[in-house]
């Protein structure tokens, strides 16, 4: 079931693991990163089936050129994976204007531009699969990650609408929602807000308050079979948790939300007029 795949942010983390797995099993892959030197070994190992593309995903014109370059090089596209993005850490009050705008440019607009670039190709083919790397933090929020949460909530919002819009064209949409993994998410690729001492106590107690244990962080390599099964599925899901934490916590969080909505039901209905 050979696939032709376009994936962003493939030089590290999930993107690198998945790209290597796709190539190893015989898929054709166009992989983007700001620095394609990271792909030198793969380019030498897979000269016929691997196309590295240097790309800043916040540049809409460059994104369209990259997606069309991949399509023209391989002849078609089956799957587009919007994996590029990064984390921002800090209480909402701590995250400044530039940091906020920059992460929205990458996580939201970059994802949107790649999606928009792929859709005309998929519509012309009558098939295609858009995969967005969301997060459990696109389903519920964690303190000190609110701005990152906001980017993933935005991706979930437009992707859910998109799924209905493009279904008649034979195009599928999936949002992948991983829980925490032992990747570099909180390391060199992350950005931190300007610390305000008033939030120090919250930050120091956060892990305990959320009940996070070392075993709650998944092993990145364990996601490979899941992503392969997803792209091979004839009827892929709109949403897919990766890891053990997502569904468990979502059931609790949504039960609490429903309870609050029901508690205020009379007020809500009275407001209808």
């Amino acid at each position: 079931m050979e696939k032709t795949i376009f994936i962003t942010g493939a030089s590290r983390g999930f993107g690198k693991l998945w790209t290597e797995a796709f190539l190893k099993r015989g898929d054709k892959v166009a992989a983007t990163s700001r620095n394609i030197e990271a792909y030198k070994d793969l380019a030498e190992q897979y000269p016929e089936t691997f196309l590295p593309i240097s790309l800043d995903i916040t540049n809409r014109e460059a994104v369209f050129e990259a997606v069309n370059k991949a399509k023209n090089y391989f002849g078609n596209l089956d799957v587009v994976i919007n994996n590029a993005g990064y984390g921002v850490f800090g209480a909402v009050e701590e995250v400044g204007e530039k940091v906020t705008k920059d992460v929205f440019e990458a996580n939201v607009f970059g994802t949107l531009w790649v999606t928009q670039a792929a859709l005309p190709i998929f519509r012309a083919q009558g098939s295609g699969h858009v995969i967005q790397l969301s997060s459990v933090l696109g389903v519920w929020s964690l303190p000190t990650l609110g701005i990152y949460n906001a980017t993933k909530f935005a991706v979930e919002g437009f992707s859910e609408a998109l799924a209905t819009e493009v279904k008649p064209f034979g195009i599928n949409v999936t949002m992948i929602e991983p829980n925490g993994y032992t990747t570099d998410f909180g390391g060199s690729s992350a950005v931190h807000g300007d610390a305000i001492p008033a939030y120090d106590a919250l930050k120091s107690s956060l892990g305990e308050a959320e009940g996070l244990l070392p075993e709650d962080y998944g092993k990145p390599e364990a996601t490979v079979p899941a992503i392969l099964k997803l792209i091979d599925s004839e009827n892929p899901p709109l949403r897919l948790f990766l890891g053990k934490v997502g569904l468990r916590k979502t059931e609790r969080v949504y039960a609490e939300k429903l309870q609050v909505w029901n508690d205020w039901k009379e007020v809500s209905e009275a407001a209808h007029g």
Side-chain angles (χ1 to χ4, degrees):
M1 300 177 67
E2 177 188 292
K3 301 286 184 180
T4 303
I5 301 160
F6 182 97
I7 181 170
T8 65
S11 62
R12 63 171 73 189
F14 289 139
K16 183 177 181 181
L17 277 170
W18 297 346
T19 296
E20 291 172 347
F22 298 149
L23 291 168
K24 186 176 181 180
R25 74 169 197 164
D27 293 324
K28 299 173 183 176
V29 182
T32 79
S33 177
R34 287 177 182 266
N35 178 16
I36 61 171
E37 282 299 308
Y39 300 136
K40 185 177 180 181
D41 291 346
L42 289 178
E44 292 175 354
Q45 190 173 356
Y46 301 98
E48 302 298 323
T49 58
F50 182 62
L51 175 65
I53 302 175
S54 178
L55 178 64
D56 173 2
I57 61 168
T58 67
N59 183 328
R60 189 173 188 269
E61 182 179 355
V63 166
F64 273 71
E65 290 176 359
V67 172
N68 282 287
K69 178 179 181 179
K71 190 267 181 184
N72 292 334
Y73 185 84
F74 290 122
N76 72 300
L77 285 180
D78 298 307
V79 182
V80 165
I81 303 176
N82 277 301
N83 173 70
Y86 61 92
V88 168
F89 292 77
V92 170
E93 186 183 357
E94 295 176 325
V95 182
E97 179 180 4
K98 185 179 187 306
V99 170
T100 301
K101 287 182 176 179
D102 285 350
V103 74
F104 267 84
E105 284 286 344
N107 291 9
V108 180
F109 290 108
T111 297
L112 178 59
W113 304 152
V114 174
T115 300
Q116 290 180 338
L119 291 177
I121 296 169
F122 286 168
R123 281 191 291 105
Q125 294 175 169
S127 65
H129 191 180
V130 178
I131 298 176
Q132 320 287 40
L133 193 71
S134 179
S135 168
V136 291
L137 301 183
V139 182
W140 34 261
S141 295
L142 276 183
T144 73
L145 281 161
I147 300 303
Y148 177 77
N149 274 123
T151 67
K152 294 304 183 180
F153 269 66
V155 169
E156 294 254 341
F158 84 71
S159 297
E160 184 174 298
L162 173 71
T164 301
E165 294 167 356
V166 300
K167 193 69 173 177
F169 306 127
I171 302 169
N172 293 305
V173 177
T174 299
M175 290 166 272
I176 297 177
E177 299 158 336
N179 53 226
Y181 276 80
T182 55
T183 63
D184 191 43
F185 175 75
S188 61
S189 64
V191 175
H192 296 261
D194 297 322
I196 296 174
Y199 296 103
D200 288 350
L202 169 67
K203 294 174 187 176
S204 64
S205 64
L206 188 59
E208 181 180 349
E210 294 295 328
L212 296 175
L213 302 171
E215 58 265 31
D216 289 327
Y217 291 86
K219 299 176 181 179
E221 59 272 16
T223 66
V224 169
I227 194 69
L228 294 179
K229 185 171 184 178
L230 176 66
I231 69 169
D232 288 343
S233 174
E234 294 183 3
N235 186 29
L238 176 60
R239 289 182 168 86
L240 175 66
F241 284 128
L242 293 183
K244 297 178 179 179
V245 175
L247 181 58
R248 184 178 71 208
K249 179 161 180 177
T250 299
E251 288 175 334
R252 176 171 63 79
V253 168
Y254 273 76
E256 292 170 355
K257 288 185 177 184
L258 287 167
Q259 184 61 56
V260 172
W261 282 321
N262 277 301
D263 289 345
W264 285 79
K265 180 180 178 182
E266 290 184 9
V267 177
S268 301
E269 292 181 348
H272 186 79

